[in-house]
Amino acid sequence: MIKNQLYRRGTALLLTGVLLGLTGCEQKVGTTATTAVASASDIVVTTAEETQAVQAVAALGANANVLPSIEGVTIDANAEALAPVNLTVGVINSVVSDLQQRLMDLGYMDADEPTAYYGAATSKAVQYFQRQAGMTMDGITGVDTWDAIMSDSAPRYAVKKGFQGDDVTDIQYRLYNLGYLSEAGQINGTFDDTTEAAVRKMQTVNGLTVDGTVGQSTHDLLYSDDVKANIIALGEQSDLVKKYQQRLIDLGYMGGTADGQFGQTTQDAIRSFQSRNDLIVDGYLGTDTRAAMDADTAKPYAMRIGEQSDAVKELQDLLVKYGYLSQDNASGYFGELTKAAVASFQSVNGLASDGTAGMSTMALLRSGNAKSKPKPKTSTSSGKSSSGKTSGKSSSGSSKSSGSASSGSASAGGGGATVSGSAGALVSIAASKIGSPYVWGSKGPNSFDCSGFVYWCLNQAGVGVSYMTSSGWRNPGRFRRVSYNELQAGDIIVVSGHVGICAGGGSVIDASSSNGRVVHRSLSGWWANNFIAGWRIFS
């Protein structure tokens, strides 16, 4: 395909040269040719008399089509215009999809279904390639840039000393939060000596090849929760650890007494705090984490949809004790039934009914003074309750009990004709961001990359989930796995290098690098061919 496109572009340029050459031999209209006697070896060219005005040929600009259109020539109405010499933002042409696929293969763009649209994200990826190849960083794919990208020797994405860019700033910020850069002033967007030294130390600590360059393996580890930090971490003991242990206790993330020993319980509490406060979940007391803990806006602990732990099991056992949840549903996973049971308990006991189990809710459940779930009123023989309402119905007319899931519970499989209320809310939240720009590494609320989009939407929908890259979504450690044919609205779909939110009707909402924005599109064959896993969040 790529060779065919290059052949078309090369042939078009050759034909242009021929046309321009011919115009130089053309007799000027209105002049008289000099009459001469031709010898046997001469080639005689005669020009027919002009009967119509000569039509000017369209000029070829830098971004015009390689060949102008010619009036009177019949072409297929569905035929595509030839690719412009320079691909720039706004161009729509099939060669762009070839370009995007190559940039993805080289690591300059996130994996995605290629499109024919040359948007800002594609231009940024081209700039990063040009930087790597030592070319002018204009984001325009001309002949030289095209040839360099398509070359077998094209360099893969990497960031090294001397480079500048937004991606350098992001890397420096992450190194700062992991303790490899010591001062905020070192975050300057330039990969300098200090940044290179920090990368080398990070690679040494984490057992990577030490070259001071942020290639694919270093970049992936840098943004994972497996990275080892150069800051206060597991096994340390200090007054600073004790200070933040006390803060975690005050916010409900830990119990007991602060002792200054950074153990597993402290690390788990930090992870839980980071998850609820829109931080990268790594379990370290980094700069951002300490600042968030010190802030008055720090979110206190509360169990919510999507969590699975011994603490959730304790909550469910207490809800069973007071009659708000069936014993069969006390599995240790906080799903919709648990949320509904918590909301019912809170309503009966005069607490804010938000369906999350925070300190106040847990304290009342553990106190032994909580009110049990009221027993339903018995109906009369005529099928009427003492209040005259039909039995089995609430005053609002709903046939659902207070402990059930919201209306329209999710189907377990078969494509899912119905979805739960929570799944519908997730899809609505995702749809509200359609058109938002794609920005590599962004987690919202105004711009996103693919994994940042899923993370933001789930948290807005009340699902407690840590930030994970698309690789992390291959095995998130919880949620029910579903096949491609079982996908329904509200499920998370994971493909090679990409992740999105199923919207129902065979469609998906995702932050698309190839489209340069959040889009709602069909689950095409590309998704099926690259499918890795589906995850049922609401069941």
Side-chain angles (χ1 to χ4, degrees), residues 174-175 178 180 198-210 217-218 220-231 284:
R174 182 63 174 146
L175 289 167
L178 289 171
Y180 292 101
V199 171
R200 286 181 175 274
K201 185 170 184 180
M202 178 264 180
Q203 290 170 330
T204 301
V205 171
N206 286 272
L208 299 173
T209 300
V210 181
S217 58
T218 299
D220 289 347
L221 183 61
L222 190 63
Y223 288 94
S224 78
D225 58 6
D226 294 326
V227 64
K228 296 176 182 177
N230 190 42
I231 51 178
Y284 297 117

Side-chain angles (χ1 to χ4, degrees), residues 315-343:
L315 165 67
Q316 291 171 331
D317 288 341
L318 289 169
L319 291 169
V320 170
K321 173 184 175 181
Y322 288 104
Y324 292 92
L325 189 68
S326 166
Q327 183 65 58
D328 294 339
N329 294 318
S331 62
Y333 175 73
F334 197 121
E336 289 179 280
L337 293 175
T338 301
K339 178 181 178 181
V342 170

Side-chain angles (χ1 to χ4, degrees), residues 402-471:
S402 61
S404 67
S406 55
S407 61
S409 61
S411 168
T418 59
V419 297
S420 69
S422 295
L426 175 62
V427 173
S428 295
I429 290 168
S432 72
K433 290 299 177 179
I434 291 173
S436 297
Y438 174 95
V439 176
W440 197 0
S442 181
K443 301 193 293 292
N446 298 316
S447 61
F448 307 89
D449 67 7
C450 67
S451 52
F453 177 68
V454 171
Y455 165 77
W456 185 86
C457 290
L458 285 172
N459 277 278
Q460 293 300 307
V463 179
V465 62
S466 305
Y467 174 76
M468 293 179 284
T469 63
S470 56
S471 296

Side-chain angles (χ1 to χ4, degrees), residues 11-13 15-16 19 60 64-69 82:
T11 302
L13 289 170
L15 289 174
T16 302
L19 285 176
L60 292 178
N65 284 341
V66 174
L67 286 177
S69 60
L82 291 173

Side-chain angles (χ1 to χ4, degrees), residues 337-401:
L337 293 175
T338 301
K339 178 181 178 181
V342 170
S344 179
F345 171 83
Q346 292 167 329
S347 178
V348 170
N349 285 272
L351 300 174
S353 183
D354 60 5
T356 65
M359 289 185 290
S360 299
T361 298
M362 291 305 299
L364 185 55
L365 278 167
R366 292 169 177 153
S367 70
N369 299 320
K371 296 178 182 177
S372 297
K373 182 179 178 180
K375 295 186 183 332
K377 295 179 180 180
T378 58
S379 60
T380 64
S381 58
S382 62
K384 299 288 186 177
S385 67
S386 58
S387 64
K389 295 183 176 66
T390 303
S391 64
K393 298 278 187 178
S394 68
S395 59
S396 64
S398 172
S399 60
K400 305 292 182 184
S401 67

